[in-house]
Amino acid sequence: MSTPEEDIRPVVTVTLNPAIDQTITVEALRPGHVHRASAVRRNAGGKGVNVASCLADWGTPVIATGLLGSGNAAAFEALFAAKGIADRFVRLPGETRVNVKIADLAAADTTDLNLPGLTADADALDRVRRTLRELVLPGTPVLLAGSLPDGLPADSYATLTADLRAQGARVVLDSSGPPLAAALAAPDLPFCIKPNRHELEAWAGRPLPAAADLLEAARGLHRSGVAVVVVSLGADGALFVADGPALHARLPAVDALSTVGAGDAMVAGLIAAFGVDLPLEGVARLSVAFATAKLGCFGPNLPGADAVRALAGQVELSTL
């Protein structure tokens, strides 16, 4: 497996609806009761920002763009400065939303409360499109991630994907609901998507209770033109579908300090693997290792590269 320093290509992440994640830890969440928090953490986040943070920890050069409220941008600017992430966010008047995450230690689970955020318009999206035209070269991995802010149409990711495909970028899309459906119905498809089971069921419009059901849905998306389809399954690892045999990859269960952002870490692993052209087995190993390594860290962070590589070597692979 390539080391993080070898033959690295810069990555661009796009986050149109970032957030400041406030994680409140309680011993046991009991609805209707008063709780005393044991810890409170605030992190600049949103899917694309989290992915950029993990990639920076791995040693990948990252440029982050999207839409950011000028009223509380300091938390993001501090993160970007600390991790060496190039900040090309478009600033809008107002404040970026705050997401409250209640971490329940007894249940090893997290409850999310996502607050309202910025409202954007066509001009804001055009400013992001112009920024991407300046940043993206043929072969650049570009991540489009997360929900859309109020004011932007559901086909916004489809629009950006068409732009980026025309520039020769490899687009990784990590979204859900109408934005994902619109992107998958468009003529220009992303290179890779990473739905979880619930998101894939929502797109398919039916339950997918068995692994065979998930696999067939993923293979259908691959046949339609998505080069790599990854279905994340939480503690059960992930399915990987591309040309050739499909793979199931997982690691044994580990004690988790925080499950928040594990899916984003998996996306970071996918992009890190794509950046050095690993085969599907390498993509599966590295992305599952990223997600597992993240479980031992609070916030959008990874441990050292040696620890991640050690986990990648332990990933259990089976051919489907």
Side-chain angles (χ1 to χ4, degrees), residues 4-317:
E5 295 80 17
E6 291 177 354
D7 193 27
I8 295 173
R9 301 167 191 168
V11 171
V12 177
T13 68
V14 182
T15 315
L16 297 178
N17 200 21
I20 295 175
D21 292 328
Q22 179 171 291
T23 303
I24 302 170
T25 303
V26 297
E27 293 301 321
L29 180 61
R30 300 173 61 198
H33 289 71
V34 176
H35 299 75
R36 182 179 296 276
S38 59
V40 178
R41 301 178 65 89
R42 288 171 65 88
N43 296 294
K47 281 185 173 295
V49 173
N50 293 342
V51 171
S53 180
C54 290
L55 285 169
D57 286 346
W58 179 245
T60 300
V62 188
I63 305 169
T65 187
L67 300 173
L68 199 61
S70 57
N72 58 351
F76 294 89
E77 292 164 354
L79 172 69
F80 299 152
K83 296 215 174 190
I85 298 168
D87 177 8
R88 294 296 303 273
F89 267 89
V90 172
R91 267 50 170 190
L92 298 179
E95 293 192 345
T96 300
R97 66 195 173 120
V98 175
N99 290 342
V100 179
K101 300 176 181 294
I102 304 174
D104 182 344
L105 295 180
D109 202 357
T110 301
T111 299
D112 290 6
L113 302 173
N114 293 343
L115 306 185
L118 295 170
T119 297
D121 57 16
D123 178 67
L125 185 62
D126 283 344
R127 291 173 65 188
V128 174
R129 294 173 73 183
R130 290 195 296 271
T131 300
L132 289 171
R133 282 196 289 271
E134 297 172 5
L135 298 176
V136 173
L137 299 173
T140 300
V142 180
L143 171 69
L144 306 176
S147 59
L148 297 174
D150 289 343
L152 291 188
D155 66 354
S156 295
Y157 284 141
T159 298
L160 291 178
T161 299
D163 287 353
L164 292 164
R165 287 283 303 272
Q167 293 174 252
R170 287 193 292 178
V171 178
V172 177
L173 174 62
D174 185 18
S175 189
S176 60
L180 174 62
L184 294 178
D188 295 298
L189 295 173
F191 173 78
C192 174
I193 61 170
K194 189 215 66 69
N196 59 31
R197 178 192 295 269
H198 173 73
E199 291 163 349
L200 188 60
E201 289 178 332
W203 170 81
R206 66 183 188 278
L208 301 169
D213 302 314
L214 294 168
L215 183 58
E216 181 52 37
R219 282 178 165 153
L221 285 165
H222 175 61
R223 287 192 295 267
S224 74
V226 181
V228 182
V229 180
V230 180
V231 184
S232 58
L233 303 173
D236 289 329
L239 302 178
F240 295 80
V241 176
D243 291 337
L247 299 176
H248 176 236
R250 61 169 297 171
L251 273 165
V254 299
D255 292 331
L257 287 178
S258 173
T259 60
V260 176
D264 299 336
M266 177 173 280
V267 174
L270 290 171
I271 294 171
F274 294 149
V276 291
D277 293 324
L278 293 183
L280 189 63
E281 177 181 333
V283 171
R285 286 188 179 279
L286 193 60
S287 59
V288 170
F290 266 53
T292 305
K294 160 66 197 78
L295 297 177
C297 303
F298 285 110
N301 303 298
L302 290 181
D306 287 344
V308 178
R309 284 196 292 272
L311 286 170
Q314 300 169 30
V315 170
E316 301 169 356
L317 290 177

